[in-house]
Structure formats: structure tokens, C-alpha cells
Amino acid sequence: LLLFTLTTTLFAQNYDETKAGSYVLPELLKAQNGKEIVSAEDWDRIRRPEILKLFEDNVYGQVPKDFDKIEFKVLEQNYKALNGKATYKQVAVDVIRNKKVITVQVHLFIPNKIKKPVPVFLTINHRGLDTMQASPENEFWPAEEIVNSGYAIAGFDVKDVAPDHKTDYVNQILTKLYPEQTLQPNGMRALGAWGWGVSRIIDYFETDKDIDASKVIVVGHSRGGKAALWCGAQDRRVAIAVSNESGNSGAKISRRNFGETVEVITRNFPHWFVPGYAAFANNEGNLPVDQHMLLALMAPRAVYVASAADDSWADPKGQYLALVAAQPVFSLFGLKTSLPANMPPNNEQVIQLPLGFHNRDGIHNMNLFDWKQFVKFADEYFKNNNKK
Ligand code: GCU
């Protein structure tokens, strides 16, 4: 019984707000040499690279940028998709390094009857191809709704890049293109690999005249949301990063003891992170970063954080507080946002450009309500940037 009590206390998740604990976040605006960061220039030149490196070494690993060649092949094209409203394309993105190739398949719907080029939602999908069918029942990837809103929608299956599996994750990009990464303590892992896939698809968008590659909105749900944030942090071609219920090691403050912890996530999903991240299990206070810094790396570009009220595992409040804590970096760029200190009521969207948030009723998932908020946010953001 003693052992049982001991293990359940050790491994139990906390869902009691009074036990979430207090914490001091690592400083966003102080460089490692003690210098205060007071300008956008110093942020970009000094602090941003420091923080990127801290995330690389301690959490997600590197994302190699070199390859020998990239090629795009349109495998299928249907101008009359969605009852004539859209053009569907399946595009193979072939990336070659040292004579080895991997292929990422992109599924893409482009609205037919509006002026091109159009902005695009690009989804990091870990739920498989079946979840990218265009059907009115498919709220997870509502192609028709998005096309009707004047956006293209694209998606890829993460397994093309790195299967979501403890050992098999190495089977695509890591074995074929970057084998040396697996040997490095801060080498590429699955979340970084998925983000690499996003960047290669943006390479494709830059060649598609119907797509406005300066308006790419990367959307990820849960583990995909973690990858979307890490990708957006690094690849400045991402205009908006949307984190849907990304939770621990995504948008949620790691130091807040509520829901999933670093201990649980590194035990269950070791392939997402560098091995050294596990050293911060039950020891989050010693992490040199916290997740507000990841959100801040998007500045001055846009970040949208979505959560669901019944998704305590992902800690809605912890995700909101990270967004609030990221604001000083946006201010450096003259973007003086003032998010309310407390999380807004359920189902109410808060927009303080370039930041946005909602916490809808319901469980862990991505649905039509969430997508409608993403569209509203993107509309406002692009309009405000005089870009749309
Ligand atoms: C698990 C995991 C989460 C993750 C989620 C998902 O619950 O613990 O960290 O976000 O799966 O991807 O749906």
C-alpha cells in the first residue's frame, strides 16, 4: 500500500488550481551576458538566437537546413473539386541529400473563384490521411469551410517525414537524409522533423503562383501544435503560428504544475525531444527556458493559442499565461498588446494583434468552432497588416 501511495503521488497529475504552485519564469529580455534587451534590433541580433539555441539544446534538437536539391511534382490535379469551388492538387515534394531522397505528399485545396494568390492554412497532421478528406463531417480539416472563407488549405501526414513512434521515428528523414543527427545529443527529433516538413512545403508554396507564400498560417493540433510553434519560431516565412491545444512542451508554461508534466511527456514520447530534456522531469524550475519564450520567438509575426475547457491535460490557463508572458517581446517591435491578466470566458475570442486566444467549451480536439476563430484572426491580422 505504501508503494502504491508513493507511486500514485509521484506520477499523479495535478488538476487542483490551488496546487499549481508559484514560479519565476526565465527572463525574456536579459541576454546571457546580463545585457538588458531594449530594442527589436538587439532582440533579433542577440536574444532570439540565444533562445533558439537553448530550445535546440535542451528541448527539441536541431533542424538542419542543408540539402542538395528539392523538386515538386504535381501528381494529381482536379479543377472541379468541392463542387467546382476549388482546385485540388496532390504535390510530391522530393528532397534530396547525398543521393538519398524523401518525399512529402502535400494535399492542397485552392479556392477557384477568387483573386489569386491566396493565403494558405497548412496543417501538420499526425492523424493520418483519412483525416484530410474533404467532407462536411470532417471538422478536424474543414476544407470546404476554409475555401469558402477565401483561403487555401493544405496538409501533410507527419509520417512522410518522421513516423510518430518511439523507435521508428528515425525511418524517414533521419535515416535517409540526416543520419548524423541521430548521434548528436542535440540532434533532430520528431517534432523538429515535422517542422522541417512544413518548411519544405513553404519552399513549394513559393513556386505556386496561386499561393501567397507571405501569408502562410501553420496550424497544428496538440503534438502538431508543439511542432507548429517550434517551426514558426525558426522559419520566419511562417506568418501566423496556430497552436491548438498544444499543452506541455507547446504553449503551456512548463513550470506551472497543472496537467501534463515534463516527466510524463518525456517518458511517453521520448522521440519528440532531445534525451537531455528528461533531466528536467520534476525539475522544471531548472529549465533554461519556458514556453512563453517559444511564443515570443514568433515576434513580430502572429501567434494564435487555442484551448478547450475540458482539456485540463493541456492546461488552458497555463497556455494563456504563456501568451500573456510573451507580450514584452512584441512590445519591442512597437506592438503594444494588452491581453487581460485573466483568461477570457469560454468561447470568447480575444484578439490583440498580433496575438489571439480562445478557450472553447469541450474536449481535446480541433473542430469547426476552432477553425472559424482561426479564420477571423487571420482576416484581421492580414487586413491590419494591409496585406490582404
Ligand atoms: C498526448 C500527449 C500530449 C499531446 C497529445 C496529442 O496526450 O501527452 O502531449 O499533445 O497526446 O497530441 O493529442
Side-chain angles (χ1 to χ4, degrees):
L1 182 72
L2 182 67
L3 196 68
F4 175 75
T5 327
L6 211 74
T7 38
T8 42
T9 358
L10 261 178
F11 293 131
Q13 306 319 126
N14 175 52
Y15 293 116
D16 178 349
E17 191 52 50
T18 66
K19 296 191 182 128
S22 59
Y23 50 82
V24 179
L25 293 176
E27 289 201 58
L28 266 176
L29 297 182
K30 191 181 259 171
Q32 278 160 348
N33 66 5
K35 182 183 156 68
E36 297 286 343
I37 303 297
V38 292
S39 68
E41 292 71 35
D42 281 354
W43 168 262
D44 276 343
R45 195 171 52 87
I46 304 169
R47 193 59 177 144
R48 183 173 178 273
E50 279 181 5
I51 296 177
L52 279 170
K53 178 91 172 95
L54 289 172
F55 275 111
E56 243 177 55
D57 291 349
N58 296 285
V59 187
Y60 308 108
Q62 302 172 14
V63 179
K65 289 175 184 59
D66 68 299
F67 49 83
D68 299 328
K69 206 167 162 194
I70 187 163
E71 285 170 352
F72 313 112
K73 289 183 203 121
V74 179
L75 302 180
E76 201 186 314
Q77 181 144 311
N78 171 7
Y79 297 100
K80 292 189 180 140
L82 301 176
N83 297 318
K85 282 186 194 160
T87 296
Y88 169 77
K89 285 192 204 178
Q90 192 188 337
V91 181
V93 176
D94 288 344
V95 187
I96 298 130
R97 184 176 186 250
N98 293 336
K99 304 200 166 70
K100 300 249 170 59
V101 58
I102 72 147
T103 302
V104 186
Q105 306 271 3
V106 187
H107 300 267
L108 172 62
F109 288 91
I110 304 170
N112 277 340
K113 294 194 179 98
I114 63 166
K115 200 174 125 244
K116 310 291 182 316
V118 290
V120 60
F121 282 96
L122 169 57
T123 326
I124 301 174
N125 191 347
H126 66 277
R127 290 188 174 175
L129 277 189
D130 287 354
T131 61
M132 283 187 287
Q133 303 294 331
S135 95
E137 283 80 48
N138 185 4
E139 294 201 14
F140 183 74
W141 205 70
E144 191 160 355
E145 178 81 22
I146 296 303
V147 160
N148 287 344
S149 310
Y151 292 79
I153 181 169
F156 72 106
D157 186 333
V158 299
K159 78 168 171 340
D160 288 355
V161 190
D164 189 11
H165 184 275
K166 272 184 197 175
T167 50
D168 292 352
Y169 80 95
V170 293
N171 280 351
Q172 289 299 334
I173 176 173
L174 277 157
T175 313
K176 293 179 185 153
L177 298 198
Y178 303 108
E180 65 282 1
Q181 287 283 324
T182 52
L183 306 172
Q184 295 179 30
N186 68 347
M188 178 186 251
R189 296 294 183 275
L191 296 175
W194 302 345
W196 180 95
V198 167
S199 294
R200 300 295 71 81
I201 295 172
I202 299 178
D203 294 343
Y204 165 72
F205 289 155
E206 288 177 336
T207 70
D208 188 325
K209 61 178 184 3
D210 291 338
I211 300 291
D212 184 344
S214 73
K215 292 181 195 152
V216 177
I217 309 142
V218 177
V219 178
H221 167 61
S222 211
R223 63 199 71 189
K226 304 179 213 286
L229 291 173
W230 175 228
C231 170
Q234 300 165 83
D235 190 334
R236 294 203 233 199
R237 295 173 302 173
V238 175
I240 305 177
V242 176
S243 148
N244 194 71
E245 300 157 27
S246 63
N248 190 283
S249 310
K252 168 207 171 17
I253 298 279
S254 301
R255 280 167 173 75
R256 220 179 93 84
N257 177 28
F258 196 98
E260 189 173 26
T261 59
V262 171
E263 191 278 319
V264 180
I265 204 167
T266 52
R267 184 156 42 88
N268 291 336
F269 304 98
H271 59 293
W272 292 352
F273 309 105
V274 296
Y277 190 40
F280 299 100
N282 302 316
N283 181 26
E284 285 88 346
N286 280 323
L287 269 167
V289 287
D290 210 310
Q291 300 305 113
H292 65 308
M293 296 164 118
L294 185 67
L295 303 181
L297 290 172
M298 280 301 294
R301 296 160 297 139
V303 196
Y304 194 87
V305 173
S307 60
D310 296 339
D311 187 13
S312 306
W313 184 247
D315 187 12
K317 184 172 167 186
Q319 298 179 88
Y320 182 67
L321 293 177
L323 195 63
V324 171
Q327 292 181 106
V329 177
F330 293 85
S331 296
L332 288 182
F333 289 86
L335 302 160
K336 304 238 181 288
T337 56
S338 47
L339 291 169
N342 294 319
M343 187 163 63
N346 292 4
N347 308 317
E348 270 181 33
Q349 187 179 44
V350 178
I351 298 184
Q352 291 275 320
L353 290 175
L355 309 179
F357 176 88
H358 76 256
N359 185 33
R360 67 155 164 78
D361 286 326
I363 58 164
H364 184 70
N365 204 349
M366 186 156 71
N367 67 20
L368 207 53
F369 179 90
D370 298 316
W371 279 101
K372 283 185 198 268
Q373 313 313 307
F374 306 158
V375 168
K376 252 201 276 174
F377 178 76
D379 280 350
E380 288 239 352
Y381 178 65
F382 291 135
K383 190 173 77 204
N384 209 267
N385 277 269
N386 211 8
K387 280 171 130 195
K388 199 184 169 184

